[in-house]
Amino acid sequence: MPMLPRGPSSGWTTWPTSYVSASPDSPGQGWLIGKVLRGKRVQGLIRYLYGPGRHGEHRDPHIVAGFRSPADLEPSMTTDGSRDFRRLDGLLTQPLALLGDRNYHKPVWHLSVRSAPDDPVLTDQQWAEIAGEMMSRTGLAPDGDLDAVRWIAVRHAHDHVHIVATLARTDGTRPEVWNDGYRVRDACRAVEERYGLRRTAPADRTASRRPKRGEQEKAMRVGRDEPVRSTLRRRVATAAAGARTEDEFFTALREDGVLVRLRFSARTAGQVTGYAVALPDDLAPSGGPIWFGGGKLAGDLTLPSLRRRWTPRPVSRSLSGQNLSARTIRAVLRTTVRRVADEAQTVDDFLRRLGEEGFLVRSRFSQTRPDQVTGYAVALPDDQGGDEGAVWFSGGRLADDLTLPRLCRRWSTTSAGKSSSASTDDGLTAEERQAFYDDAARAAAFATAQIRRHMATAPHAAQDACWAASDVLHVAAKATGNRHLRRAADSYERAARAPWGRITRPSPAGNTLRGAARLLKLAGAHDRNTLSILLLVSHLLALLDTVANLRQLQQRQAQAEAARRAARHLSPLVAGPDRHRAPWLGSAAEVPSSFQPAQHDFPAPWAPAPFGGGAPPQPRTTPARPRTVKHSPPR
């Protein structure tokens, strides 16, 4: 990264650089780098560019291009061997006097452009053409515009050049710099093709906001593993993945130890228009927390973008019972009904809340008093939100304490002044947790098959599944506490996003993956069956490989590489030479012997318990008998 001016008089800040995708560990990305900064004083910047640099890295600084010929703009040498910058300072700052109070708050525009280490060394003439291309494409100094802004390009190293401009035209108007970073990115790609440099990703707004250098240095100073921006982005993405509503999202953030600040509309009282998050121990010099808006973390984490995930998708907001096992359906219904019963106070409130959860609800009425509800039954809807083939469970079939008469007695004691304690234990058994992971693995396999089918016919139809795969990775990483899953989720984020922040229509594969993410959230961090986790990981590996192939087919190199990096992070969990073959199907008991779990990568509570000193149970070789689900009326 180019060295940036420092000192109390420089007043430099980095302008929004979401288009910058450079990273030392991101092969094939980030070169040619074009990074825009804005400052207040041009004098300090020029002296820095002609100075020795922080570590003596500046060699032979000279102007290679500008609004006039380089020879006419080059600062003259004084008798003592120093440079006289007064004339150059006056030429660059003169147009600012014409604007007066209409100047930008930071009127100095600074663009540093760097080539890759393995790119050929460019000549002064080539760098001059690159600088002219940048100024022309940004609209600051188009070809033939005599009233354009004044600018210079200084080269003091073989691999980069600094372009400095003052944001004032000589005709007394102010140039437009909105979205200049995206135009710089387009100019970089044009230059890469012209000079045969390493190709980079387009500015399609699929990259997350990278932490600034100050944030990285602060993280190292205080002993953090990563900058706070990265930590918050992961926690916000995980909360959004497991939430179905806005209230659930903010509740999940607070439960995860994140401070939340809401922004309200100035026109409509009580209307929330945005949010910001912070960590309690990340403090500013003033002593208050350092806040990050959702848009400062990633483009798809703004509140309007999150609302588009939830509001227009009534079907995808609830789990679908079509692709779940009967054991999973019963566990999901029981845990949710118990939570709703703890929050409700009356029968009508209870039934209404069940409907808001996305459940299908049937009420049984008294034969003597038709307006009195005496029982209920619930079911999960199918993929279309209907009840075709739904598996119904009455309260008594879910648990003895969930029958309507017992719930009514509990609510009556609460209204009499006794407090009702909410359940702290979800009541899931080990078999039910394993069923959650097995169903999540089947959801990943189904999504993989759907994406492969769309690759040959309509690749754009697979976007929703690619996006939902990020939800599964984030929630699985939090539920298991595995560092490989966490790194895979972070690396995959760019591969999940649609270009230019588009929100795609829901699809069956995407809805199935989102349902899998909610299953993993319900399973929580109490799973002790490592094989169930690794079965899920094997299907996620196949899913990531398929997404990488899809992005390659769409000629989105940066997103394809992001999916490949995510798959590489998961590879240590699966030992064996045949990792890239299609994963097996079936239950966790059918894991082949060549599949060796990397148990040391999981926290101790999730390691499988010993089998009481005896031999482990053998997998069943005979096919299981088909199970018939009895549809009983509510009682």
Side-chain angles (χ1 to χ4, degrees):
M1 178 179 292
M3 306 305 298
L4 306 182
R6 294 228 175 181
S9 63
S10 59
W12 288 90
T13 58
T14 304
W15 210 242
T17 53
S18 59
Y19 57 93
V20 178
S21 59
S23 176
D25 59 352
S26 303
Q29 296 186 36
W31 310 100
L32 191 69
I33 298 177
K35 185 169 184 178
V36 178
L37 299 101
R38 293 278 293 277
K40 295 181 179 180
R41 297 181 66 252
V42 72
Q43 293 86 351
L45 176 58
I46 293 176
R47 282 153 182 78
Y48 166 79
L49 297 179
Y50 274 86
R54 295 177 61 192
H55 305 288
E57 67 276 8
H58 295 181
R59 306 289 178 86
D60 186 26
H62 57 282
I63 296 177
V64 296
F67 69 99
R68 293 182 183 175
S69 65
D72 188 30
L73 295 173
E74 190 69 42
S76 59
M77 299 290 294
T78 62
T79 56
D80 59 356
S82 62
R83 297 273 188 172
D84 185 2
F85 300 104
R86 290 175 296 179
R87 179 175 178 272
L88 181 59
D89 292 343
L91 289 174
L92 292 177
T93 57
Q94 185 180 17
L96 297 176
L98 298 177
L99 288 176
D101 295 338
R102 294 179 291 121
N103 273 324
Y104 284 105
H105 175 63
K106 293 185 176 181
V108 180
W109 190 83
H110 175 201
L111 172 65
S112 55
V113 186
R114 182 188 293 269
S115 61
D118 54 352
D119 280 338
V121 177
L122 303 177
T123 64
D124 283 354
Q125 180 61 33
Q126 290 172 325
W127 277 117
E129 295 174 358
I130 292 174
E133 182 82 11
M134 298 290 177
M135 297 301 295
S136 178
R137 284 183 175 260
T138 56
L140 296 177
D143 294 336
D145 188 354
L146 301 179
D147 295 324
V149 303
R150 292 184 175 180
W151 62 280
I152 60 172
V154 179
R155 183 184 187 186
H156 55 204
H158 70 280
D159 61 347
H160 69 275
V161 66
H162 294 262
I163 305 174
V164 180
T166 49
L167 298 179
R169 293 171 53 87
T170 57
D171 58 4
T173 59
R174 196 172 71 170
E176 180 60 56
V177 292
W178 178 255
N179 275 346
D180 55 348
Y182 294 99
R183 293 190 288 271
V184 168
R185 183 91 293 274
D186 293 339
C188 287
R189 288 174 58 84
V191 169
E192 291 161 0
E193 184 176 0
R194 182 185 309 168
Y195 294 103
L197 305 178
R198 188 191 300 182
R199 300 303 300 274
T200 61
D204 55 3
R205 306 194 186 190
T206 57
S208 302
R209 289 294 187 93
R210 297 181 59 217
K212 300 178 182 179
R213 187 176 66 177
E215 298 172 19
Q216 297 172 348
E217 293 176 350
K218 180 180 179 181
M220 296 177 60
R221 204 165 50 244
V222 301
R224 292 185 182 274
D225 295 336
E226 61 183 359
V228 173
R229 188 191 298 262
S230 301
T231 303
L232 288 174
R233 181 173 64 246
R234 182 186 307 111
R235 295 191 183 184
V236 171
T238 304
R244 296 167 304 142
T245 63
E246 190 172 323
D247 292 338
E248 284 187 12
F249 170 66
F250 291 128
T251 301
L253 283 178
R254 295 185 178 99
E255 291 176 351
D256 200 20
V258 177
L259 302 179
V260 179
R261 183 177 66 184
L262 303 181
R263 184 181 71 241
F264 293 91
S265 172
R267 298 181 178 179
T268 306
Q271 181 182 3
V272 179
T273 58
Y275 73 98
V277 291
L279 293 183
D281 57 348
D282 182 36
L283 304 179
S286 61
I290 300 177
W291 297 95
F292 293 85
K296 299 297 183 181
L297 303 177
D300 58 346
L301 294 182
T302 63
L303 189 58
S305 297
L306 292 176
R307 283 171 172 168
R308 288 199 296 270
R309 290 173 57 123
W310 303 318
T311 305
R313 301 177 177 225
V315 175
S316 62
R317 287 172 56 186
S318 60
L319 284 171
S320 170
Q322 186 169 348
N323 300 315
L324 301 181
S325 63
R327 175 176 291 175
T328 297
I329 293 175
R330 182 177 182 274
V332 169
L333 292 173
R334 185 185 71 249
T335 55
T336 309
V337 168
R338 178 168 282 119
R339 175 175 57 80
V340 170
D342 292 336
E343 299 171 352
Q345 296 295 329
T346 63
V347 174
D348 293 339
D349 185 26
F350 173 66
L351 298 178
R352 178 184 59 80
R353 290 175 181 266
L354 288 178
E356 292 176 353
E357 292 289 335
F359 291 169
L360 302 176
V361 183
R362 289 178 179 174
S363 301
R364 187 188 67 203
F365 295 91
S366 171
Q367 296 181 354
T368 58
R369 298 178 58 184
D371 58 339
Q372 181 182 3
V373 179
T374 59
Y376 72 96
V378 290
L380 292 179
D382 56 23
D383 284 341
Q384 304 301 322
D387 60 353
E388 182 179 356
V391 181
W392 291 89
F393 288 86
S394 62
R397 289 187 59 195
L398 296 177
D400 293 339
D401 61 335
L402 294 180
T403 61
L404 193 60
R406 296 191 62 174
L407 292 177
C408 290
R409 285 196 296 270
R410 185 205 303 182
W411 296 328
S412 63
T413 57
T414 302
S415 61
K418 300 180 181 179
S419 61
S420 176
S421 59
S423 301
T424 57
D425 184 14
D426 52 25
L428 293 175
T429 65
E431 292 77 11
E432 289 172 339
R433 297 185 192 279
Q434 179 176 342
F436 281 15
Y437 277 93
D438 291 343
D439 284 347
R442 282 191 287 270
F446 172 73
T448 302
Q450 292 297 307
I451 294 176
R452 289 173 178 170
R453 181 174 66 87
H454 290 309
M455 286 174 63
T457 56
H460 63 277
Q463 173 57 42
D464 187 56
C466 297
W467 185 28
S470 179
D471 292 353
V472 178
L473 288 170
H474 277 293
V475 178
K478 182 177 181 180
T480 62
N482 183 264
R483 68 178 188 272
H484 297 289
L485 276 167
R486 188 192 71 179
R487 294 169 182 168
D490 293 343
S491 300
Y492 179 77
E493 284 184 339
R494 182 164 196 175
R497 300 186 181 104
W500 306 106
R502 301 188 188 99
I503 302 297
T504 57
R505 293 183 178 180
S507 65
N511 291 342
T512 303
L513 286 177
R514 276 181 282 271
R518 296 188 185 112
L519 284 179
L520 296 176
K521 180 184 177 182
L522 290 174
H526 304 287
D527 183 81
R528 288 174 170 79
N529 193 329
T530 307
L531 292 180
S532 294
I533 301 174
L534 297 177
L535 176 64
L536 172 63
V537 169
S538 69
H539 288 288
L540 290 177
L541 276 169
L543 177 61
L544 295 178
D545 289 338
T546 304
V547 172
N549 294 334
L550 172 67
R551 295 309 193 196
Q552 191 72 34
L553 179 66
Q554 295 173 324
Q555 298 182 356
R556 300 176 186 171
Q557 302 297 333
Q559 292 186 291
E561 180 57 29
R564 295 190 190 100
R565 285 200 308 275
R568 287 196 293 268
H569 285 307
L570 290 186
S571 296
L573 296 179
V574 184
D578 300 332
R579 207 277 297 164
H580 290 286
R581 294 184 182 178
W584 59 90
L585 301 177
S587 64
E590 299 170 339
V591 176
S593 59
S594 61
F595 186 80
Q596 301 296 330
Q599 297 180 8
H600 61 279
D601 292 320
F602 292 90
W606 291 290
F611 292 94
Q618 299 298 321
R620 181 172 54 187
T621 56
T622 58
R625 297 178 58 186
R627 178 169 49 190
T628 303
V629 180
K630 183 178 180 180
H631 299 262
S632 59
R635 60 182 181 181

